[in-house]
mmCIF file with all atom_site columns, all heavy atoms in Angstrom:
data_model
loop_
_atom_site.group_PDB
_atom_site.id
_atom_site.type_symbol
_atom_site.label_atom_id
_atom_site.label_alt_id
_atom_site.label_comp_id
_atom_site.label_asym_id
_atom_site.label_entity_id
_atom_site.label_seq_id
_atom_site.pdbx_PDB_ins_code
_atom_site.Cartn_x
_atom_site.Cartn_y
_atom_site.Cartn_z
_atom_site.occupancy
_atom_site.B_iso_or_equiv
_atom_site.pdbx_formal_charge
_atom_site.auth_seq_id
_atom_site.auth_comp_id
_atom_site.auth_asym_id
_atom_site.auth_atom_id
_atom_site.pdbx_PDB_model_num
ATOM 1   N N   . LEU A 1 1  ? -10.962 15.719  1.076  1.00 98.00 ? 3  LEU A N   1
ATOM 2   C CA  . LEU A 1 1  ? -9.875  15.031  0.310  1.00 98.00 ? 3  LEU A CA  1
ATOM 3   C C   . LEU A 1 1  ? -8.552  15.269  0.980  1.00 98.00 ? 3  LEU A C   1
ATOM 4   O O   . LEU A 1 1  ? -8.229  16.398  1.420  1.00 98.00 ? 3  LEU A O   1
ATOM 5   C CB  . LEU A 1 1  ? -9.863  15.530  -1.118 1.00 98.00 ? 3  LEU A CB  1
ATOM 6   C CG  . LEU A 1 1  ? -8.856  14.946  -2.090 1.00 98.00 ? 3  LEU A CG  1
ATOM 7   C CD1 . LEU A 1 1  ? -9.227  13.466  -2.329 1.00 98.00 ? 3  LEU A CD1 1
ATOM 8   C CD2 . LEU A 1 1  ? -8.886  15.727  -3.333 1.00 98.00 ? 3  LEU A CD2 1
ATOM 9   N N   . MET A 1 2  ? -7.654  14.247  1.079  1.00 97.00 ? 4  MET A N   1
ATOM 10  C CA  . MET A 1 2  ? -6.247  14.360  1.527  1.00 97.00 ? 4  MET A CA  1
ATOM 11  C C   . MET A 1 2  ? -5.292  14.120  0.385  1.00 97.00 ? 4  MET A C   1
ATOM 12  O O   . MET A 1 2  ? -5.596  13.245  -0.411 1.00 97.00 ? 4  MET A O   1
ATOM 13  C CB  . MET A 1 2  ? -6.011  13.339  2.702  1.00 97.00 ? 4  MET A CB  1
ATOM 14  C CG  . MET A 1 2  ? -6.824  13.672  3.947  1.00 97.00 ? 4  MET A CG  1
ATOM 15  S SD  . MET A 1 2  ? -6.137  12.656  5.345  1.00 97.00 ? 4  MET A SD  1
ATOM 16  C CE  . MET A 1 2  ? -4.645  13.491  5.685  1.00 97.00 ? 4  MET A CE  1
ATOM 17  N N   . ASP A 1 3  ? -4.189  14.708  0.455  1.00 96.00 ? 5  ASP A N   1
ATOM 18  C CA  . ASP A 1 3  ? -3.110  14.348  -0.549 1.00 96.00 ? 5  ASP A CA  1
ATOM 19  C C   . ASP A 1 3  ? -2.534  13.011  -0.185 1.00 96.00 ? 5  ASP A C   1
ATOM 20  O O   . ASP A 1 3  ? -2.393  12.623  1.030  1.00 96.00 ? 5  ASP A O   1
ATOM 21  C CB  . ASP A 1 3  ? -2.026  15.436  -0.526 1.00 96.00 ? 5  ASP A CB  1
ATOM 22  C CG  . ASP A 1 3  ? -2.495  16.809  -1.077 1.00 96.00 ? 5  ASP A CG  1
ATOM 23  O OD1 . ASP A 1 3  ? -3.429  16.762  -1.891 1.00 96.00 ? 5  ASP A OD1 1
ATOM 24  O OD2 . ASP A 1 3  ? -1.966  17.839  -0.682 1.00 96.00 ? 5  ASP A OD2 1
ATOM 25  N N   . TYR A 1 4  ? -2.110  12.294  -1.279 1.00 98.00 ? 6  TYR A N   1
ATOM 26  C CA  . TYR A 1 4  ? -1.271  11.080  -0.972 1.00 98.00 ? 6  TYR A CA  1
ATOM 27  C C   . TYR A 1 4  ? 0.009   11.430  -0.319 1.00 98.00 ? 6  TYR A C   1
ATOM 28  O O   . TYR A 1 4  ? 0.525   12.501  -0.542 1.00 98.00 ? 6  TYR A O   1
ATOM 29  C CB  . TYR A 1 4  ? -1.093  10.385  -2.294 1.00 98.00 ? 6  TYR A CB  1
ATOM 30  C CG  . TYR A 1 4  ? -2.162  9.860   -3.108 1.00 98.00 ? 6  TYR A CG  1
ATOM 31  C CD1 . TYR A 1 4  ? -2.404  10.112  -4.425 1.00 98.00 ? 6  TYR A CD1 1
ATOM 32  C CD2 . TYR A 1 4  ? -3.037  8.968   -2.429 1.00 98.00 ? 6  TYR A CD2 1
ATOM 33  C CE1 . TYR A 1 4  ? -3.402  9.590   -5.099 1.00 98.00 ? 6  TYR A CE1 1
ATOM 34  C CE2 . TYR A 1 4  ? -4.146  8.435   -3.134 1.00 98.00 ? 6  TYR A CE2 1
ATOM 35  C CZ  . TYR A 1 4  ? -4.283  8.801   -4.514 1.00 98.00 ? 6  TYR A CZ  1
ATOM 36  O OH  . TYR A 1 4  ? -5.315  8.176   -5.221 1.00 98.00 ? 6  TYR A OH  1
ATOM 37  N N   . TYR A 1 5  ? 0.453   10.596  0.625  1.00 97.00 ? 7  TYR A N   1
ATOM 38  C CA  . TYR A 1 5  ? 1.740   10.792  1.216  1.00 97.00 ? 7  TYR A CA  1
ATOM 39  C C   . TYR A 1 5  ? 2.737   9.801   0.568  1.00 97.00 ? 7  TYR A C   1
ATOM 40  O O   . TYR A 1 5  ? 2.509   8.600   0.580  1.00 97.00 ? 7  TYR A O   1
ATOM 41  C CB  . TYR A 1 5  ? 1.695   10.490  2.725  1.00 97.00 ? 7  TYR A CB  1
ATOM 42  C CG  . TYR A 1 5  ? 3.102   10.737  3.260  1.00 97.00 ? 7  TYR A CG  1
ATOM 43  C CD1 . TYR A 1 5  ? 3.531   11.966  3.643  1.00 97.00 ? 7  TYR A CD1 1
ATOM 44  C CD2 . TYR A 1 5  ? 3.980   9.665   3.559  1.00 97.00 ? 7  TYR A CD2 1
ATOM 45  C CE1 . TYR A 1 5  ? 4.876   12.244  4.215  1.00 97.00 ? 7  TYR A CE1 1
ATOM 46  C CE2 . TYR A 1 5  ? 5.244   9.871   4.045  1.00 97.00 ? 7  TYR A CE2 1
ATOM 47  C CZ  . TYR A 1 5  ? 5.705   11.142  4.350  1.00 97.00 ? 7  TYR A CZ  1
ATOM 48  O OH  . TYR A 1 5  ? 6.902   11.338  4.919  1.00 97.00 ? 7  TYR A OH  1
ATOM 49  N N   . LYS A 1 6  ? 3.834   10.444  -0.027 1.00 96.00 ? 8  LYS A N   1
ATOM 50  C CA  . LYS A 1 6  ? 4.849   9.629   -0.581 1.00 96.00 ? 8  LYS A CA  1
ATOM 51  C C   . LYS A 1 6  ? 5.877   9.252   0.428  1.00 96.00 ? 8  LYS A C   1
ATOM 52  O O   . LYS A 1 6  ? 6.747   10.003  0.781  1.00 96.00 ? 8  LYS A O   1
ATOM 53  C CB  . LYS A 1 6  ? 5.494   10.364  -1.825 1.00 96.00 ? 8  LYS A CB  1
ATOM 54  C CG  . LYS A 1 6  ? 4.569   10.725  -2.933 1.00 96.00 ? 8  LYS A CG  1
ATOM 55  C CD  . LYS A 1 6  ? 5.247   11.659  -3.995 1.00 96.00 ? 8  LYS A CD  1
ATOM 56  C CE  . LYS A 1 6  ? 4.158   12.018  -5.075 1.00 96.00 ? 8  LYS A CE  1
ATOM 57  N NZ  . LYS A 1 6  ? 4.742   12.787  -6.036 1.00 96.00 ? 8  LYS A NZ  1
ATOM 58  N N   . ILE A 1 7  ? 5.814   7.985   0.796  1.00 97.00 ? 9  ILE A N   1
ATOM 59  C CA  . ILE A 1 7  ? 6.643   7.536   1.867  1.00 97.00 ? 9  ILE A CA  1
ATOM 60  C C   . ILE A 1 7  ? 8.197   7.326   1.492  1.00 97.00 ? 9  ILE A C   1
ATOM 61  O O   . ILE A 1 7  ? 9.078   7.228   2.302  1.00 97.00 ? 9  ILE A O   1
ATOM 62  C CB  . ILE A 1 7  ? 6.071   6.151   2.435  1.00 97.00 ? 9  ILE A CB  1
ATOM 63  C CG1 . ILE A 1 7  ? 6.612   5.871   3.832  1.00 97.00 ? 9  ILE A CG1 1
ATOM 64  C CG2 . ILE A 1 7  ? 6.316   5.050   1.465  1.00 97.00 ? 9  ILE A CG2 1
ATOM 65  C CD1 . ILE A 1 7  ? 5.910   4.730   4.474  1.00 97.00 ? 9  ILE A CD1 1
ATOM 66  N N   . ARG A 1 8  ? 8.394   7.145   0.185  1.00 96.00 ? 10 ARG A N   1
ATOM 67  C CA  . ARG A 1 8  ? 9.722   7.172   -0.382 1.00 96.00 ? 10 ARG A CA  1
ATOM 68  C C   . ARG A 1 8  ? 10.703  6.125   0.215  1.00 96.00 ? 10 ARG A C   1
ATOM 69  O O   . ARG A 1 8  ? 10.379  4.918   0.178  1.00 96.00 ? 10 ARG A O   1
ATOM 70  C CB  . ARG A 1 8  ? 10.285  8.663   -0.305 1.00 96.00 ? 10 ARG A CB  1
ATOM 71  C CG  . ARG A 1 8  ? 9.407   9.682   -1.115 1.00 96.00 ? 10 ARG A CG  1
ATOM 72  C CD  . ARG A 1 8  ? 9.721   11.047  -0.880 1.00 96.00 ? 10 ARG A CD  1
ATOM 73  N NE  . ARG A 1 8  ? 11.027  11.460  -1.137 1.00 96.00 ? 10 ARG A NE  1
ATOM 74  C CZ  . ARG A 1 8  ? 11.390  12.794  -1.019 1.00 96.00 ? 10 ARG A CZ  1
ATOM 75  N NH1 . ARG A 1 8  ? 10.624  13.695  -0.683 1.00 96.00 ? 10 ARG A NH1 1
ATOM 76  N NH2 . ARG A 1 8  ? 12.701  13.060  -1.275 1.00 96.00 ? 10 ARG A NH2 1
ATOM 77  N N   . GLY A 1 9  ? 11.781  6.640   0.905  1.00 97.00 ? 11 GLY A N   1
ATOM 78  C CA  . GLY A 1 9  ? 12.779  5.601   1.372  1.00 97.00 ? 11 GLY A CA  1
ATOM 79  C C   . GLY A 1 9  ? 12.266  4.794   2.446  1.00 97.00 ? 11 GLY A C   1
ATOM 80  O O   . GLY A 1 9  ? 12.926  3.696   2.743  1.00 97.00 ? 11 GLY A O   1
ATOM 81  N N   . MET A 1 10 ? 11.255  5.128   3.118  1.00 98.00 ? 12 MET A N   1
ATOM 82  C CA  . MET A 1 10 ? 10.674  4.300   4.214  1.00 98.00 ? 12 MET A CA  1
ATOM 83  C C   . MET A 1 10 ? 9.728   3.284   3.662  1.00 98.00 ? 12 MET A C   1
ATOM 84  O O   . MET A 1 10 ? 8.925   2.601   4.416  1.00 98.00 ? 12 MET A O   1
ATOM 85  C CB  . MET A 1 10 ? 9.970   5.097   5.171  1.00 98.00 ? 12 MET A CB  1
ATOM 86  C CG  . MET A 1 10 ? 10.879  6.029   6.018  1.00 98.00 ? 12 MET A CG  1
ATOM 87  S SD  . MET A 1 10 ? 12.104  5.064   7.097  1.00 98.00 ? 12 MET A SD  1
ATOM 88  C CE  . MET A 1 10 ? 10.893  4.289   8.291  1.00 98.00 ? 12 MET A CE  1
ATOM 89  N N   . ALA A 1 11 ? 9.753   2.999   2.345  1.00 98.00 ? 13 ALA A N   1
ATOM 90  C CA  . ALA A 1 11 ? 8.769   2.119   1.689  1.00 98.00 ? 13 ALA A CA  1
ATOM 91  C C   . ALA A 1 11 ? 8.702   0.769   2.393  1.00 98.00 ? 13 ALA A C   1
ATOM 92  O O   . ALA A 1 11 ? 7.479   0.198   2.518  1.00 98.00 ? 13 ALA A O   1
ATOM 93  C CB  . ALA A 1 11 ? 9.260   1.906   0.192  1.00 98.00 ? 13 ALA A CB  1
ATOM 94  N N   . PRO A 1 12 ? 9.689   0.074   2.850  1.00 98.00 ? 14 PRO A N   1
ATOM 95  C CA  . PRO A 1 12 ? 9.542   -1.316  3.428  1.00 98.00 ? 14 PRO A CA  1
ATOM 96  C C   . PRO A 1 12 ? 8.627   -1.289  4.661  1.00 98.00 ? 14 PRO A C   1
ATOM 97  O O   . PRO A 1 12 ? 8.166   -2.383  5.088  1.00 98.00 ? 14 PRO A O   1
ATOM 98  C CB  . PRO A 1 12 ? 10.924  -1.667  3.794  1.00 98.00 ? 14 PRO A CB  1
ATOM 99  C CG  . PRO A 1 12 ? 11.834  -0.952  2.792  1.00 98.00 ? 14 PRO A CG  1
ATOM 100 C CD  . PRO A 1 12 ? 11.131  0.374   2.754  1.00 98.00 ? 14 PRO A CD  1
ATOM 101 N N   . ALA A 1 13 ? 8.470   -0.080  5.285  1.00 98.00 ? 15 ALA A N   1
ATOM 102 C CA  . ALA A 1 13 ? 7.541   0.012   6.403  1.00 98.00 ? 15 ALA A CA  1
ATOM 103 C C   . ALA A 1 13 ? 6.069   0.244   6.141  1.00 98.00 ? 15 ALA A C   1
ATOM 104 O O   . ALA A 1 13 ? 5.195   0.058   6.989  1.00 98.00 ? 15 ALA A O   1
ATOM 105 C CB  . ALA A 1 13 ? 8.014   1.118   7.358  1.00 98.00 ? 15 ALA A CB  1
ATOM 106 N N   . GLY A 1 14 ? 5.823   0.610   4.853  1.00 98.00 ? 16 GLY A N   1
ATOM 107 C CA  . GLY A 1 14 ? 4.389   0.874   4.588  1.00 98.00 ? 16 GLY A CA  1
ATOM 108 C C   . GLY A 1 14 ? 3.952   1.497   3.294  1.00 98.00 ? 16 GLY A C   1
ATOM 109 O O   . GLY A 1 14 ? 3.055   2.270   3.169  1.00 98.00 ? 16 GLY A O   1
ATOM 110 N N   . SER A 1 15 ? 4.596   1.040   2.207  1.00 98.00 ? 17 SER A N   1
ATOM 111 C CA  . SER A 1 15 ? 4.304   1.757   0.915  1.00 98.00 ? 17 SER A CA  1
ATOM 112 C C   . SER A 1 15 ? 3.351   0.945   -0.092 1.00 98.00 ? 17 SER A C   1
ATOM 113 O O   . SER A 1 15 ? 2.943   1.483   -1.090 1.00 98.00 ? 17 SER A O   1
ATOM 114 C CB  . SER A 1 15 ? 5.654   1.980   0.162  1.00 98.00 ? 17 SER A CB  1
ATOM 115 O OG  . SER A 1 15 ? 6.194   0.746   -0.355 1.00 98.00 ? 17 SER A OG  1
ATOM 116 N N   . ILE A 1 16 ? 2.942   -0.255  0.195  1.00 98.00 ? 18 ILE A N   1
ATOM 117 C CA  . ILE A 1 16 ? 2.149   -1.071  -0.735 1.00 98.00 ? 18 ILE A CA  1
ATOM 118 C C   . ILE A 1 16 ? 0.861   -0.561  -0.942 1.00 98.00 ? 18 ILE A C   1
ATOM 119 O O   . ILE A 1 16 ? 0.185   -0.152  0.046  1.00 98.00 ? 18 ILE A O   1
ATOM 120 C CB  . ILE A 1 16 ? 2.191   -2.565  -0.305 1.00 98.00 ? 18 ILE A CB  1
ATOM 121 C CG1 . ILE A 1 16 ? 3.584   -3.171  -0.468 1.00 98.00 ? 18 ILE A CG1 1
ATOM 122 C CG2 . ILE A 1 16 ? 1.149   -3.372  -1.144 1.00 98.00 ? 18 ILE A CG2 1
ATOM 123 C CD1 . ILE A 1 16 ? 3.635   -4.629  -0.026 1.00 98.00 ? 18 ILE A CD1 1
ATOM 124 N N   . ASN A 1 17 ? 0.380   -0.601  -2.123 1.00 98.00 ? 19 ASN A N   1
ATOM 125 C CA  . ASN A 1 17 ? -0.941  -0.299  -2.613 1.00 98.00 ? 19 ASN A CA  1
ATOM 126 C C   . ASN A 1 17 ? -1.557  -1.515  -3.244 1.00 98.00 ? 19 ASN A C   1
ATOM 127 O O   . ASN A 1 17 ? -0.984  -2.160  -4.098 1.00 98.00 ? 19 ASN A O   1
ATOM 128 C CB  . ASN A 1 17 ? -0.949  0.887   -3.592 1.00 98.00 ? 19 ASN A CB  1
ATOM 129 C CG  . ASN A 1 17 ? -0.253  2.069   -3.010 1.00 98.00 ? 19 ASN A CG  1
ATOM 130 O OD1 . ASN A 1 17 ? -0.629  2.788   -2.087 1.00 98.00 ? 19 ASN A OD1 1
ATOM 131 N ND2 . ASN A 1 17 ? 0.857   2.429   -3.711 1.00 98.00 ? 19 ASN A ND2 1
ATOM 132 N N   . SER A 1 18 ? -2.838  -1.907  -2.821 1.00 98.00 ? 20 SER A N   1
ATOM 133 C CA  . SER A 1 18 ? -3.295  -3.138  -3.397 1.00 98.00 ? 20 SER A CA  1
ATOM 134 C C   . SER A 1 18 ? -4.891  -3.097  -3.300 1.00 98.00 ? 20 SER A C   1
ATOM 135 O O   . SER A 1 18 ? -5.502  -2.177  -2.728 1.00 98.00 ? 20 SER A O   1
ATOM 136 C CB  . SER A 1 18 ? -2.866  -4.365  -2.570 1.00 98.00 ? 20 SER A CB  1
ATOM 137 O OG  . SER A 1 18 ? -3.164  -5.520  -3.150 1.00 98.00 ? 20 SER A OG  1
ATOM 138 N N   . SER A 1 19 ? -5.521  -4.148  -3.744 1.00 98.00 ? 21 SER A N   1
ATOM 139 C CA  . SER A 1 19 ? -6.994  -4.334  -3.761 1.00 98.00 ? 21 SER A CA  1
ATOM 140 C C   . SER A 1 19 ? -7.247  -5.460  -2.805 1.00 98.00 ? 21 SER A C   1
ATOM 141 O O   . SER A 1 19 ? -6.357  -6.252  -2.518 1.00 98.00 ? 21 SER A O   1
ATOM 142 C CB  . SER A 1 19 ? -7.535  -4.605  -5.108 1.00 98.00 ? 21 SER A CB  1
ATOM 143 O OG  . SER A 1 19 ? -7.031  -5.866  -5.488 1.00 98.00 ? 21 SER A OG  1
ATOM 144 N N   . VAL A 1 20 ? -8.484  -5.466  -2.276 1.00 98.00 ? 22 VAL A N   1
ATOM 145 C CA  . VAL A 1 20 ? -8.859  -6.666  -1.426 1.00 98.00 ? 22 VAL A CA  1
ATOM 146 C C   . VAL A 1 20 ? -8.780  -7.930  -2.195 1.00 98.00 ? 22 VAL A C   1
ATOM 147 O O   . VAL A 1 20 ? -8.507  -8.997  -1.599 1.00 98.00 ? 22 VAL A O   1
ATOM 148 C CB  . VAL A 1 20 ? -10.194 -6.461  -0.810 1.00 98.00 ? 22 VAL A CB  1
ATOM 149 C CG1 . VAL A 1 20 ? -10.199 -5.265  0.194  1.00 98.00 ? 22 VAL A CG1 1
ATOM 150 C CG2 . VAL A 1 20 ? -11.416 -6.299  -1.804 1.00 98.00 ? 22 VAL A CG2 1
ATOM 151 N N   . ASN A 1 21 ? -9.082  -7.928  -3.481 1.00 98.00 ? 23 ASN A N   1
ATOM 152 C CA  . ASN A 1 21 ? -9.005  -9.253  -4.253 1.00 98.00 ? 23 ASN A CA  1
ATOM 153 C C   . ASN A 1 21 ? -7.654  -9.787  -4.297 1.00 98.00 ? 23 ASN A C   1
ATOM 154 O O   . ASN A 1 21 ? -7.332  -10.908 -4.217 1.00 98.00 ? 23 ASN A O   1
ATOM 155 C CB  . ASN A 1 21 ? -9.537  -8.993  -5.588 1.00 98.00 ? 23 ASN A CB  1
ATOM 156 C CG  . ASN A 1 21 ? -11.016 -9.492  -5.827 1.00 98.00 ? 23 ASN A CG  1
ATOM 157 O OD1 . ASN A 1 21 ? -11.531 -10.219 -4.863 1.00 98.00 ? 23 ASN A OD1 1
ATOM 158 N ND2 . ASN A 1 21 ? -11.697 -9.277  -6.961 1.00 98.00 ? 23 ASN A ND2 1
ATOM 159 N N   . GLU A 1 22 ? -6.599  -8.888  -4.470 1.00 98.00 ? 24 GLU A N   1
ATOM 160 C CA  . GLU A 1 22 ? -5.261  -9.303  -4.524 1.00 98.00 ? 24 GLU A CA  1
ATOM 161 C C   . GLU A 1 22 ? -4.722  -9.615  -3.187 1.00 98.00 ? 24 GLU A C   1
ATOM 162 O O   . GLU A 1 22 ? -3.915  -10.516 -2.960 1.00 98.00 ? 24 GLU A O   1
ATOM 163 C CB  . GLU A 1 22 ? -4.363  -8.404  -5.283 1.00 98.00 ? 24 GLU A CB  1
ATOM 164 C CG  . GLU A 1 22 ? -4.809  -8.191  -6.797 1.00 98.00 ? 24 GLU A CG  1
ATOM 165 C CD  . GLU A 1 22 ? -3.766  -7.641  -7.648 1.00 98.00 ? 24 GLU A CD  1
ATOM 166 O OE1 . GLU A 1 22 ? -2.745  -6.988  -7.087 1.00 98.00 ? 24 GLU A OE1 1
ATOM 167 O OE2 . GLU A 1 22 ? -3.844  -7.619  -8.888 1.00 98.00 ? 24 GLU A OE2 1
ATOM 168 N N   . MET A 1 23 ? -5.017  -8.837  -2.184 1.00 98.00 ? 25 MET A N   1
ATOM 169 C CA  . MET A 1 23 ? -4.624  -9.146  -0.836 1.00 98.00 ? 25 MET A CA  1
ATOM 170 C C   . MET A 1 23 ? -5.265  -10.384 -0.322 1.00 98.00 ? 25 MET A C   1
ATOM 171 O O   . MET A 1 23 ? -4.585  -11.009 0.566  1.00 98.00 ? 25 MET A O   1
ATOM 172 C CB  . MET A 1 23 ? -5.000  -7.946  0.149  1.00 98.00 ? 25 MET A CB  1
ATOM 173 C CG  . MET A 1 23 ? -4.158  -6.694  -0.074 1.00 98.00 ? 25 MET A CG  1
ATOM 174 S SD  . MET A 1 23 ? -2.443  -6.981  0.485  1.00 98.00 ? 25 MET A SD  1
ATOM 175 C CE  . MET A 1 23 ? -2.640  -7.130  2.231  1.00 98.00 ? 25 MET A CE  1
ATOM 176 N N   . ALA A 1 24 ? -6.382  -10.850 -0.830 1.00 98.00 ? 26 ALA A N   1
ATOM 177 C CA  . ALA A 1 24 ? -6.914  -12.106 -0.469 1.00 98.00 ? 26 ALA A CA  1
ATOM 178 C C   . ALA A 1 24 ? -5.957  -13.266 -0.860 1.00 98.00 ? 26 ALA A C   1
ATOM 179 O O   . ALA A 1 24 ? -5.920  -14.291 -0.029 1.00 98.00 ? 26 ALA A O   1
ATOM 180 C CB  . ALA A 1 24 ? -8.258  -12.305 -1.174 1.00 98.00 ? 26 ALA A CB  1
ATOM 181 N N   . ASN A 1 25 ? -5.242  -13.193 -1.829 1.00 98.00 ? 27 ASN A N   1
ATOM 182 C CA  . ASN A 1 25 ? -4.302  -14.135 -2.288 1.00 98.00 ? 27 ASN A CA  1
ATOM 183 C C   . ASN A 1 25 ? -3.172  -14.234 -1.239 1.00 98.00 ? 27 ASN A C   1
ATOM 184 O O   . ASN A 1 25 ? -2.651  -15.351 -0.953 1.00 98.00 ? 27 ASN A O   1
ATOM 185 C CB  . ASN A 1 25 ? -3.717  -13.858 -3.625 1.00 98.00 ? 27 ASN A CB  1
ATOM 186 C CG  . ASN A 1 25 ? -4.798  -14.012 -4.795 1.00 98.00 ? 27 ASN A CG  1
ATOM 187 O OD1 . ASN A 1 25 ? -5.898  -14.597 -4.453 1.00 98.00 ? 27 ASN A OD1 1
ATOM 188 N ND2 . ASN A 1 25 ? -4.454  -13.660 -5.960 1.00 98.00 ? 27 ASN A ND2 1
ATOM 189 N N   . TRP A 1 26 ? -2.753  -13.127 -0.711 1.00 98.00 ? 28 TRP A N   1
ATOM 190 C CA  . TRP A 1 26 ? -1.702  -13.026 0.310  1.00 98.00 ? 28 TRP A CA  1
ATOM 191 C C   . TRP A 1 26 ? -2.139  -13.765 1.549  1.00 98.00 ? 28 TRP A C   1
ATOM 192 O O   . TRP A 1 26 ? -1.488  -14.559 2.178  1.00 98.00 ? 28 TRP A O   1
ATOM 193 C CB  . TRP A 1 26 ? -1.423  -11.590 0.581  1.00 98.00 ? 28 TRP A CB  1
ATOM 194 C CG  . TRP A 1 26 ? -0.543  -11.217 1.701  1.00 98.00 ? 28 TRP A CG  1
ATOM 195 C CD1 . TRP A 1 26 ? -0.814  -10.500 2.853  1.00 98.00 ? 28 TRP A CD1 1
ATOM 196 C CD2 . TRP A 1 26 ? 0.868   -11.487 1.868  1.00 98.00 ? 28 TRP A CD2 1
ATOM 197 N NE1 . TRP A 1 26 ? 0.253   -10.309 3.561  1.00 98.00 ? 28 TRP A NE1 1
ATOM 198 C CE2 . TRP A 1 26 ? 1.386   -10.825 3.095  1.00 98.00 ? 28 TRP A CE2 1
ATOM 199 C CE3 . TRP A 1 26 ? 1.818   -12.181 1.055  1.00 98.00 ? 28 TRP A CE3 1
ATOM 200 C CZ2 . TRP A 1 26 ? 2.663   -10.998 3.561  1.00 98.00 ? 28 TRP A CZ2 1
ATOM 201 C CZ3 . TRP A 1 26 ? 3.167   -12.274 1.531  1.00 98.00 ? 28 TRP A CZ3 1
ATOM 202 C CH2 . TRP A 1 26 ? 3.484   -11.699 2.702  1.00 98.00 ? 28 TRP A CH2 1
ATOM 203 N N   . LEU A 1 27 ? -3.507  -13.531 1.982  1.00 98.00 ? 29 LEU A N   1
ATOM 204 C CA  . LEU A 1 27 ? -4.116  -14.210 3.069  1.00 98.00 ? 29 LEU A CA  1
ATOM 205 C C   . LEU A 1 27 ? -4.121  -15.739 2.868  1.00 98.00 ? 29 LEU A C   1
ATOM 206 O O   . LEU A 1 27 ? -3.902  -16.524 3.800  1.00 98.00 ? 29 LEU A O   1
ATOM 207 C CB  . LEU A 1 27 ? -5.425  -13.673 3.401  1.00 98.00 ? 29 LEU A CB  1
ATOM 208 C CG  . LEU A 1 27 ? -5.465  -12.400 4.222  1.00 98.00 ? 29 LEU A CG  1
ATOM 209 C CD1 . LEU A 1 27 ? -6.883  -11.819 4.394  1.00 98.00 ? 29 LEU A CD1 1
ATOM 210 C CD2 . LEU A 1 27 ? -4.809  -12.497 5.547  1.00 98.00 ? 29 LEU A CD2 1
ATOM 211 N N   . ILE A 1 28 ? -4.570  -16.167 1.640  1.00 98.00 ? 30 ILE A N   1
ATOM 212 C CA  . ILE A 1 28 ? -4.690  -17.520 1.408  1.00 98.00 ? 30 ILE A CA  1
ATOM 213 C C   . ILE A 1 28 ? -3.414  -18.279 1.543  1.00 98.00 ? 30 ILE A C   1
ATOM 214 O O   . ILE A 1 28 ? -3.288  -19.358 2.142  1.00 98.00 ? 30 ILE A O   1
ATOM 215 C CB  . ILE A 1 28 ? -5.209  -17.784 -0.025 1.00 98.00 ? 30 ILE A CB  1
ATOM 216 C CG1 . ILE A 1 28 ? -6.682  -17.405 -0.208 1.00 98.00 ? 30 ILE A CG1 1
ATOM 217 C CG2 . ILE A 1 28 ? -5.101  -19.200 -0.517 1.00 98.00 ? 30 ILE A CG2 1
ATOM 218 C CD1 . ILE A 1 28 ? -7.280  -17.314 -1.566 1.00 98.00 ? 30 ILE A CD1 1
#
């Protein structure tokens, strides 16, 4: 197990959490 990393102010570079079902809409 690894701890979550809180990216904080660098959020625009990599902070999103999602599911494949919702990311599928992004791809569509």
Side-chain angles (χ1 to χ4, degrees):
L3 183 67
M4 291 188 77
D5 291 334
Y6 293 128
Y7 181 81
K8 296 177 181 178
I9 197 168
R10 298 165 62 178
M12 288 296 291
S17 72
I18 290 176
N19 308 294
S20 189
S21 67
V22 295
N23 258 351
E24 293 197 351
M25 285 295 290
N27 293 347
W28 175 241
L29 278 178
I30 287 172

